[in-house]
Amino acid sequence: MKKGKPPSSRRAEIHHLYQCCALGQTTLPACALLRFLHKEQMELTANEETAESLIDRYEIEETARENRSMTFEGFLRYMESKDCCVFDQAHMSVYQNMDQPLTNYFISSSHNTYLTGDQLVGKSNLDAYVCALRKGCRCLEIDCWDGPDMEPVVYHGYTLTTKILFKDVITTVEQHAFEVSAYPVILSLENHCSQEQQEVMAQYLISILGEKLLRTPLDHPTTGDLPSPNDLKYKILIKNKKLRPHVKTEGAAGTEAEDSVDEGEDEEEDDEEDEEQQTKARFWSPRKAGPKMKQKKKVVVAEALSDLVIYTRSVKFISFSHSRDNQNHYENTSMAEKKARKLAKASGADFVQHNQKFLSRIYPAGSRTSSSNYNPQEFWNIGSQLVALNFQSLGLAMDLNDGRFQDNGGCGYVLKAAVLTSSQRSFDPGCSQHGLKPTHLLLKVISGSNLPTPRSGKALDPFVRVDIHGIASDSRRKNTHTVKNNSLSPRWDADMNFTISVPELCLIRFCIRDQTGLLSSDFVGQYTLPFTSLKKGYRWVPLRSRDGCSLDPASLFVFVWYS
């Protein structure tokens, strides 16, 4: 079919779509627009009123409006609006059930939250806490050490990272905790302080956080074992070790207390610990650091701090069977990525069941001194709630985290998929899910628009990479061909077909890259979203920079279909 020259030649693909809908008429009547909404956009609840309200909203030519029809310019405005975004706009606000126990949610979590750089010489900064909270993070880490003049400090121990005051961190948290989300914030303390300075910490938590600090168990939580995000709205929880009840009267002696105050990152895994300490020692000075590393003394938790730990008491992970027989619902475990990966491989179904009853936190390996991240998807696959990432490190892991948590209004809590919470059937993410009816996804990557050019000013040679991140058997990558020398309106028209067995766990990442050589390419922009937030039909994909900022007006134009 020969196309007429579109009023906006850079969007020839949308003009062609418009002509197909208008069936030769000069403008698009409301009834034809409604047909497009039903047939192509799968907006099945749309009616005549919907079509007319879109004309009122996007058509600026008065004659067309009076005739209840749309010109191409109005149609283009509509196609580039939020109404046609690939991300379901209903998911931009909290829409999930928030009355289930905390264990049923993925919770946005950060690791070494105070750092703005690497773990050896990076800067500690209060702004890092503000940034994490504004990104919807709900579990913040605070590494606490004894400071001068009885003022506990926060930094990465045994390194040259700069120090900030514990009281300033708590003040910052108090100011920004509920700016973007009303749901509870968990302060994960990695606590290396003496009892005296722990008491100072407890005083600061009480005096600065005031009513926001959860100090006693709730009378009537709406759920079974653990309270729900709704029960804990506007509350801050302390995650730390807690004294055994019969020890509390012993005062400072504390002989029966758990063997360490640290929340797990120092005791969970000897190999991990040795690796981290050796790295620090090599960096520091072999002569000085050696003995210092050996003297690592176990610290007993102070009663005043212990009293502030209510639903998030840290205990050491021993085994799934030990947890099943001994762990209380208000106790949680932390483990390093290597140990978690090993357990997920060896007994994925047990890990999923463990996470149905208890909160578990996964954190990056100690050897990641540059603050790099693992892929969080592998731990969401086993239902781990607190998958902690270095928020200051940009790249794939944070793109996936941003994609996962833009869902449900960006509130930092996303309901886990039914396969992870069901007691009816066992789920192991490491096995192919033969019992489930697979979903077929067709993505047609049509074109791009206004792609950002590199500093050199040279036009891009762009291609689009689409990654599916889910259970191992669902994870796939496909690329379009490369379009030469076109940043303004590259056209691919590439069909991609995927077969997905557990779509409710999947994230889809669109990434535009610039082909710089035969086997080399540079990042241009990306957008990641959950499969469950994907809209069918002709959609535009907003692009984001490496640091997660909008690259508007840069976008992709795609067609989505799944069944």
Side-chain angles (χ1 to χ4, degrees), residues 86-87 377 396 399-400 402-404 406 439 441-443 445 464-470 474 476 496 498 500 503 505-511 526-535 541 556 558 560-562:
V86 72
F87 183 83
Q377 184 68 43
L396 174 67
D399 292 346
L400 295 176
D402 291 347
R404 171 75 65 208
Q406 72 164 319
T439 294
L441 169 66
L442 163 67
L443 284 177
V445 179
V464 180
R465 173 174 290 165
V466 176
D467 286 323
I468 307 282
H469 293 268
D474 284 345
R476 290 282 177 277
M496 297 180 179
F498 300 93
I500 303 174
L505 276 177
C506 283
L507 290 168
I508 295 167
R509 183 174 189 257
F510 296 89
C511 185
Q526 68 82 36
Y527 186 72
T528 307
L529 77 163
F531 180 93
T532 50
S533 297
L534 196 63
K535 291 281 276 184
V541 179
L556 286 177
V558 299
V560 180
W561 177 260
Y562 51 86

Side-chain angles (χ1 to χ4, degrees), residues 410-542:
C411 75
Y413 284 78
V414 171
L415 210 47
K416 296 196 314 198
V419 288
L420 294 174
T421 55
S422 164
S423 51
Q424 305 309 305
R425 66 187 294 264
S426 169
F427 175 74
D428 184 347
C431 302
S432 292
Q433 302 299 312
H434 298 301
L436 300 169
K437 180 178 177 287
T439 294
H440 297 286
L441 169 66
L442 163 67
L443 284 177
K444 186 180 178 112
V445 179
I446 302 169
S447 61
S449 175
N450 294 302
L451 304 183
T453 45
R455 282 206 185 95
S456 65
K458 179 188 157 293
L460 300 173
D461 292 343
F463 69 92
V464 180
R465 173 174 290 165
V466 176
D467 286 323
I468 307 282
H469 293 268
I471 62 168
S473 59
D474 284 345
S475 298
R476 290 282 177 277
R477 162 176 293 175
K478 293 190 177 180
N479 293 338
T480 66
H481 63 279
T482 300
V483 170
K484 290 279 181 203
N485 204 31
N486 191 337
S487 306
L488 191 62
S489 54
R491 188 81 182 258
W492 295 281
D493 287 317
D495 285 2
M496 297 180 179
N497 286 284
F498 300 93
T499 301
I500 303 174
S501 56
V502 194
E504 60 270 42
L505 276 177
C506 283
L507 290 168
I508 295 167
R509 183 174 189 257
F510 296 89
C511 185
I512 298 196
R513 301 189 68 85
D514 179 22
Q515 192 85 53
T516 52
L518 194 59
L519 296 170
S520 59
S521 62
D522 289 341
F523 174 91
V524 175
Q526 68 82 36
Y527 186 72
T528 307
L529 77 163
F531 180 93
T532 50
S533 297
L534 196 63
K535 291 281 276 184
K536 287 179 178 175
Y538 289 94
R539 303 287 167 183
W540 63 277
V541 179

Side-chain angles (χ1 to χ4, degrees), residues 345-356:
K345 269 201 179 104
S347 37
D350 290 337
F351 216 147
V352 170
Q353 280 184 331
H354 174 86
N355 289 327
Q356 289 177 354

